Amino acid sequence: MNATSSFPAFAQRHLLGIASLQPHEIEQLIDLAEAEVAVGRRRDKKKSTLKGRTQINLFFEASTRTQASFELAGKRLGADVMNMSVANSSVKKGETLIDTAMTLNAMRPDILVVRHHSAGAVALLAQKVACSVVNAGDGAHEHPTQALLDALTIRRRKGRIAGLIVTICGDVLHSRVARSNILLLNALGAQVRMVAPSTLLPRGIEQMGVEVHRRMADGLKDADVVMMLRLQRERMAGSFVPSVREYFRYFGLDSDKLKIAKPDALVMHPGPMNRGVEIASEIADGPQSVIEEQVEMGVAVRMAVMEALIGGPEDTV
Ligand code: NCD
């Protein structure tokens, strides 16, 4: 067994979206993440696969859980991790995205984890730097590690992805989580449904290979997984829903609506949740909820992604 044998070749340099992954690469990352779950449950959670490597988390948009998850993942792999919240720094002084990227690039990081409010910004940045780049969410475009952690959570609970009915409900229009999940779940053979009011459905969403419903009763029938999305009020210009109360009544997941899905359906939410808006508190904390498990899987998936992109034996020079 040689030193690299635990690192099956991963052909990509960056992780910019699920769209650029082949189904076998998605499976490879989920398999690797499965092994990292065990690492996170050990007393000694430290590995050395990124020892001596520099990871910079470059967040142009506020984030708590995703940034913490990437930070912990990097630390568990032995990397030196630096967090930069750019929302309140040089960008305000007029520096562009590319200037910031070039400055950081000159510090020779090995991996940049980037979140940005504009779709496509992370891919643009990846063209300008010498290191690997992971998309931690770009506008309403993609959030690939979220879809991977959702898939890992589902696979561990249901034993498979193929053939499952997964219903994604809520603010699909503003959701990078929905887009990445549609791409991943379709690639692995699940049947994907959307439920949302017309105002929160992107035009042409059917072309992504999903069934579209406008009533929870139709979309939830026989569902194996119910994935709720946050109503992204900060991204809403104008009014997309008449009122929060009205929204909860028709599109919020409560116990009556959940009964329409399979009795053992999983309830998921990427967080942060608006309790009483898209999900009732008793459902979020109820026996079918795997929301906390998703958070645990998040660290495992991010470890797997970074290990696949830049992990390996130490330099020989
Ligand atoms: C998601 C995001 O930022 O896209 N959250 C997250 O990654 N923790 C979903 C959301 O903000 O609703």
Side-chain angles (χ1 to χ4, degrees):
M1 199 159 131
N2 66 39
T4 55
S5 63
S6 59
F7 296 93
F10 190 74
Q12 313 255 357
R13 180 161 148 228
H14 308 299
L15 177 66
L16 300 177
I18 299 295
S20 45
L21 296 179
Q22 296 295 321
H24 76 271
E25 292 172 315
I26 297 172
E27 304 258 20
Q28 192 182 339
L29 291 173
I30 300 174
D31 290 344
L32 193 53
E34 185 75 60
E36 310 289 13
V37 176
V39 176
R41 291 181 179 182
R42 296 193 313 222
R43 186 168 184 276
D44 177 358
K45 300 174 171 55
K46 200 91 169 176
K47 293 178 78 172
S48 56
T49 39
L50 295 198
K51 186 165 180 283
R53 302 293 199 120
T54 303
Q55 171 191 338
I56 301 181
N57 296 334
L58 179 58
F59 279 61
F60 291 91
E61 197 184 80
S63 156
T64 310
R65 73 178 61 209
T66 305
Q67 185 168 319
S69 184
F70 271 107
E71 180 175 0
L72 216 49
K75 286 181 170 164
R76 285 186 182 167
L77 295 171
D80 293 311
V81 186
M82 194 186 90
N83 288 310
M84 277 196 66
S85 292
V86 197
N88 37 30
S89 79
S90 323
V91 171
K92 286 219 170 126
K93 298 178 193 157
E95 195 174 74
T96 66
L97 164 73
I98 300 304
D99 290 335
T100 308
M102 295 315 289
T103 303
L104 293 176
N105 188 54
M107 297 178 194
R108 295 188 158 268
D110 297 283
I111 191 157
L112 274 175
V113 176
V114 186
R115 171 170 283 199
H116 197 279
H117 42 81
S118 300
V122 182
L124 178 69
L125 189 145
Q127 290 169 14
K128 306 284 176 187
V129 296
C131 64
S132 285
V133 173
V134 178
N135 182 1
D138 62 326
H141 178 226
E142 278 229 43
H143 190 357
T145 57
Q146 179 69 45
L148 288 163
L149 77 87
D150 290 337
L152 175 64
T153 309
I154 296 170
R155 203 180 72 173
R156 283 168 59 91
R157 285 287 185 140
K158 297 282 177 197
R160 68 196 163 103
I161 303 279
L164 295 179
I165 299 179
V166 181
T167 303
I168 304 178
C169 313
D171 187 355
V172 181
L173 180 66
H174 300 100
S175 182
R176 50 198 175 209
V177 174
R179 289 183 61 85
S180 290
N181 262 297
I182 294 169
L183 293 164
L184 186 152
L185 292 165
N186 273 339
L188 297 193
Q191 195 183 319
V192 188
R193 295 182 188 161
M194 300 283 121
V195 188
S198 307
T199 49
L200 293 178
L201 277 171
R203 214 179 296 166
I205 184 84
E206 291 89 350
Q207 281 148 31
M208 286 189 83
V210 297
E211 235 178 70
V212 176
H213 298 275
R214 284 171 180 80
R215 282 163 30 103
M216 291 288 267
D218 303 328
L220 290 177
K221 197 166 176 325
D222 299 325
D224 296 285
V225 177
V226 183
M227 194 180 285
M228 300 308 297
L229 300 172
R230 185 172 65 89
L231 192 61
Q232 301 205 8
R233 284 177 282 185
E234 79 279 14
R235 292 186 202 278
M236 293 185 185
S239 78
F240 286 81
V241 294
S243 77
V244 162
R245 263 186 65 197
E246 186 95 342
Y247 183 80
F248 181 70
R249 180 156 165 235
Y250 290 101
F251 295 98
L253 189 65
D254 58 13
S255 54
D256 285 340
K257 295 197 195 84
L258 183 56
K259 278 186 201 127
I260 305 166
K262 290 215 178 109
D264 61 349
L266 303 179
V267 172
M268 306 180 74
H269 192 302
M273 281 184 278
N274 293 309
R275 289 170 183 262
V277 178
E278 68 264 357
I279 189 165
S281 247
E282 73 265 23
I283 300 299
D285 304 327
Q288 287 171 256
S289 167
V290 292
I291 295 170
E292 274 184 23
E293 213 168 296
Q294 287 175 269
V295 178
E296 181 186 2
M297 297 309 128
V299 180
V301 154
R302 286 159 185 139
M303 287 173 76
V305 165
M306 292 196 289
E307 208 169 81
L309 294 177
I310 63 163
E314 285 178 52
D315 289 351
T316 46
V317 285

